[in-house]
Amino acid sequence: MHRIQRKKRRFSALAALVLAALAAWGALRAAVPDTLYLEPGRPLTLASLPFLQAGAPAADAAAPAASTATGGSQNTTLRLFGVLPIKTVRTVQAARRTVLVSGAPFGVKMLADGALIVAFSDQHTALGAENPAKAAGLRLGDLIVSAGGVPVRGNADLTAAVTAAAGRPLTIEYQRGGAQCTATLTPVADRDTGAWRAGVWVRDSSAGIGTLTFTDPEHATFAGLGHAVSDTDTGEAFALLSGEIVPVAIRAVRKGAAGSPGELRGEFSGTAMGTVRANDATGVYGVLTGAAPAGEALPVANIQEVAPGDAEILVTLSGTEPQRYAVRIERVDLTAADPNRNLLLRVTDERLLQTTGGIVQGMSGSPIVQNGRLVGAVTHVLVNDPARGYGIFAATMLEKADAAAG
């Protein structure tokens, strides 16, 4: 009996060990992207996962690396400590790009491609309080793009359509969560003025301050912020119709604290530097049309070259001239579901901590430099720990900038 029990315990322990090994193997596979980019002639190494090595097992060192050439790319097998196969990835050879790293503050002015619902307002009518928009099923964050078959580019277009309907049912086309939707809204007459109302407040423009990450003179493009410009009331990304970027001079800093993010405060100055082509989840991108701020020419790191360790960020705390401040990259996630959180960093520079408390609003887009390369940009602050925040890979922003420029 005791022998049977011991065998059962050994089997259970072995099964648990096998399951743990399979889970670890699966986690390692998930931590590596399917495709990685390399400079021609460079071996594949993962700075954030140094225990994964490309090539043949150590016992067969004379054998060629486990790869199959396919034109400008090849399949490379990554092995745990060079022995246990973990994942085969596609490596693409591509020349390294160089950009002008900025860190200068800039302003973003945008007009919406529609009318964004930011509030509801009950209307006082002869029948009492009514709200046509709510009755039609509209919600905060919906983007109205058409009313009565007429395109809506802003508040004036929506007001004109509601007035023209004069109480008749009005077909509203709107976007919600990326889906195109339709509703029927019946305007009501204000009891005191007789004016026709829909019962909504909408926003059709936006302006704010952020940090320019880089410019690419060769392609006349720019990238900044590291995240989308979002509406302050709804949190929805601003649907872009047109926009421009302008220089900004920082005039004051509101220091952040746990639970209360700080802020860079500045004023727009000068003429437009560029046209916004995309308000993307990963940043604001466009084409340069004027003189952009000067910057330092630095190569852009491929994502597998970014490692936990010391780095610097470029931030402007006064005027228009950025300075470098020390940070530490605490974590690198090559396959994060949210590209704004590929990097976790901590501000270690006492000068910056004394002035700002860490990362504050307006620093989004601040370039992150490591080992002489542009590796990323600041995106968000941890509200309860302002010395820490998230970052995005610079390689991701460069790819998006190229796409925005066509």
Side-chain angles (χ1 to χ4, degrees):
M1 179 65 71
H2 293 298
R3 184 178 299 174
I4 294 175
Q5 289 178 341
R6 284 197 298 269
K7 286 184 177 180
K8 286 183 177 179
R9 285 196 294 269
R10 285 197 296 268
F11 178 78
S12 298
L14 180 60
L17 184 62
V18 170
L19 289 175
L22 289 174
W25 180 77
L28 281 177
R29 283 181 57 84
V32 181
D34 295 329
T35 302
L36 293 167
Y37 291 85
L38 292 171
E39 276 190 286
R42 290 270 186 169
L44 176 61
T45 58
L46 278 66
S48 58
L49 299 169
F51 45 82
L52 294 183
Q53 300 162 7
D60 189 17
S67 60
T68 303
T70 55
S73 67
Q74 63 183 20
N75 295 326
T76 302
T77 299
L78 292 169
R79 302 174 185 272
L80 184 61
F81 300 113
V83 178
L84 180 64
I86 297 297
K87 185 174 183 176
T88 297
V89 299
R90 178 171 171 260
T91 56
V92 180
Q93 293 189 352
R96 188 183 298 278
R97 298 275 293 278
T98 297
V99 297
L100 292 184
V101 178
S102 180
F106 76 135
V108 183
K109 301 178 180 179
M110 295 199 305
L111 294 177
D113 190 14
L116 184 71
I117 298 177
V118 297
F120 292 101
S121 176
D122 290 347
Q123 303 300 303
H124 296 289
T125 72
L127 299 177
E130 297 184 72
N131 193 298
K134 284 185 178 179
L138 296 174
R139 301 178 190 169
L140 291 178
D142 288 345
L143 181 72
I144 299 175
V145 296
S146 173
V150 178
V152 170
R153 300 300 187 195
N155 182 57
D157 293 336
L158 180 61
T159 300
V162 169
T163 300
R168 296 184 297 274
L170 185 66
T171 300
I172 301 292
E173 294 184 7
Y174 62 96
Q175 296 174 2
R176 176 185 295 167
Q180 198 78 10
C181 308
T182 302
T184 300
L185 183 151
T186 304
V188 297
D190 184 273
R191 180 181 60 194
D192 299 321
T193 65
W196 296 102
R197 305 294 189 193
V200 290
W201 291 95
V202 298
R203 182 169 290 135
D204 55 14
S205 63
S206 177
I209 291 174
T211 300
L212 188 64
T213 307
F214 66 81
T215 60
D216 181 358
E218 182 180 354
H219 300 87
T221 57
F222 67 84
L225 286 188
H227 60 71
V229 174
S230 300
D231 180 75
T232 55
D233 293 302
T234 66
E236 295 290 328
F238 206 74
L240 177 69
L241 173 64
S242 63
E244 63 183 18
I245 61 169
V246 297
V248 162
I250 300 299
R251 299 304 183 197
V253 177
R254 180 167 62 84
K255 189 174 181 178
S260 177
E263 180 183 16
L264 299 180
R265 295 173 176 172
E267 58 186 25
F268 290 11
S269 62
T271 58
M273 300 183 294
T275 299
V276 179
R277 290 278 185 87
N279 180 34
D280 188 87
T282 63
V284 172
Y285 306 96
V287 177
L288 294 169
T289 58
E296 180 182 2
L298 290 178
V300 177
N302 292 314
I303 65 173
Q304 72 273 10
E305 296 170 331
V306 188
D310 293 337
E312 293 178 305
I313 59 174
L314 278 72
V315 180
T316 302
L317 300 182
S318 179
T320 60
E321 294 297 323
Q323 295 186 41
R324 291 192 178 216
Y325 297 93
V327 298
R328 183 168 183 80
I329 299 175
E330 296 185 330
R331 187 178 72 224
V332 178
D333 189 341
L334 298 175
T335 57
D338 182 351
N340 304 121
R341 302 189 177 195
N342 286 121
L343 306 174
L344 177 65
L345 59 147
R346 177 186 292 276
V347 175
T348 58
D349 198 304
E350 286 299 326
R351 298 173 301 156
L352 189 57
L353 292 170
Q354 286 292 328
T355 305
T356 66
I359 298 169
V360 299
Q361 295 176 10
M363 284 170 58
S364 294
S366 295
I368 306 171
V369 176
Q370 184 182 61
N371 298 325
R373 295 169 179 162
L374 176 64
V375 300
V378 176
T379 58
H380 297 90
V381 61
L382 298 183
V383 175
N384 293 320
D385 186 2
R388 302 169 75 208
Y390 291 108
I392 186 174
F393 287 131
T396 300
M397 296 183 72
L398 181 59
E399 181 181 351
K400 295 289 186 177
D402 289 344

